[in-house]
Amino acid sequence: MTAAAQRLLPILLILLATSLSQGFNHLTQRVLGGVKVCRTSSNDQTTRLLMSYDVENETKRQLYNIKNSSWKSNEWNWGYARGTGHDCASICRRRWSDKADRKKLVDALLNPEAYHSKHKSYEVPFEEVKLILGLLWQRAGRSHAFNEVLENMVDAKRYELDDEVLSALNFVTDVRDAFPDVALKKSHVDHMNAVAGEILHYHDHMVDRVEAFRIRRVCAGMVLEDMGFIENGI
Ligand SMILES: *[C@@H]1O[C@H](CO)[C@@H](O)[C@H](O)[C@H]1NC(C)=O
Ligand SMILES: *[C@@H]1O[C@H](CO)[C@@H](O)[C@H](O)[C@H]1NC(C)=O
């Protein structure tokens, strides 16, 4: 071995070890789902941080411990005075009657990494976030851009599939498309397009589920914020 090659060898070994460990992280992330190496980019700088949290409340459907609740249940009966939907809506209105709580929820949705780094095991179920959105969209009326998204939610065949990644991608796509109607600023629309684009650029098989759940939360938070959820409640 030449002297130059001897000097290069340790560097090559380090490069090899780094790429192997990145491959391993990627593998554990796919297998475990809850363990995740995520990228947060601030300006051009990319930081990797290891984050783990329990994804239970990204996929759990039952709400407020009420049997047969959730958008997918036959007893949900959205829009009627009898049904688990009606029962959950009353609880939901009470649960979010305080402005400070609403602000905390929106902040948590908009910044999932910061939230998870402090709260590893408490996450408002995404099904509840959908209920809040549903109540806001219902109040906004039929001519509203989100009416169609609400109808899909009521049908429960687009955001409630067995394939959780596809459900999240459908949700992100439809929310992104309707968002310009409620966005308070053009910059918010640009931000929504950029955030949704992070996963919608890829074929759904390439999307990591934790990443899909994270972006779904951010998109929901942006809608709640611009639709005045913090100020006006539901
Ligand atoms: C309601 O929930 C119970 C218990 O979980 C279940 O046995 C029943 O089939 C459900 N009813 C409907 C209409 O889904
Ligand atoms: C899931 O949501 C329930 C109900 O809000 C909460 O009590 C529980 O702590 C949450 N679990 C996780 C892992 O976030």
Side-chain angles (χ1 to χ4, degrees), residues 129-143:
V129 174
K130 280 162 62 191
L131 175 55
I132 297 171
L133 287 167
L135 291 167
L136 283 179
W137 292 341
Q138 186 181 48
R139 194 173 61 193
R142 290 199 172 273
S143 59

Side-chain angles (χ1 to χ4, degrees), residues 54 56-57 60 120-125 128:
D54 190 337
E56 171 201 1
N57 280 347
K60 195 181 73 175
K120 291 236 184 297
S121 58
Y122 183 76
E123 184 91 87
V124 171
E128 184 173 357

